[in-house]
Structures are given as C-alpha cells and as structure tokens.
C-alpha cells in the first residue's frame, strides 16, 4: 500500500463515512472509513473536479 496520509473521516449520515488521503507524490485517494485498503486513486486535480461536480449537482440523479 502506498504511504497515504488520511484525513479524518467525513460522515454525512449514519455509517456513510468516507476518507480522503494523499501520498508524497501528490496523488489523491478516497475510501470508505475502515476499509482504507480498498481505495480509488487519481490525481489531486481529478479528485477536486469530482468533488466540485458533486457539489454542483452532477450526481444528484443517483440519489
């Protein structure tokens, strides 16, 4: 596993907790809290774009 520095978990409702992390090379990671060994990774800019899109409603159809 890469040397990932995880942020504190973000929990919206109940047990829906996610963690975001970075490594020394600047890659970004997102995982379900407690299951950090199963992560999705991409560049930090790609993660920023994902978060901005979600905030702008791009994933509202999934709710």
């Amino acid at each position: 596993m890469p040397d990932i520095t995880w942020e504190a978990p973000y929990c919206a409702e109940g047990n829906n907790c996610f963690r975001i992390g970075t490594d020394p090379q600047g890659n970004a990671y997102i995982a379900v809290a407690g299951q950090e060994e199963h992560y999705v990774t991409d560049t930090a800019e790609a993660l920023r774009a994902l978060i901005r899109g979600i905030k702008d409603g791009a994933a509202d159809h999934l709710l």
Side-chain angles (χ1 to χ4, degrees):
M1 177 185 278
D3 185 22
I4 303 169
T5 302
W6 293 102
E7 298 289 330
Y10 169 77
C11 303
E13 295 179 15
N15 294 328
N16 298 324
C17 300
F18 293 90
R19 295 186 80 184
I20 294 177
T22 57
D23 68 17
Q25 291 74 38
N27 298 308
Y29 300 81
I30 187 167
V32 173
Q35 298 182 22
E36 288 82 359
E37 68 277 7
H38 303 288
Y39 54 79
V40 174
T41 185
D42 208 326
T43 63
E45 185 52 41
L47 181 59
R48 279 188 208 98
L50 173 67
I51 292 169
R52 286 183 189 123
I54 291 169
K55 285 183 173 182
D56 290 343
D60 286 356
H61 65 284
L62 300 173
L63 300 175

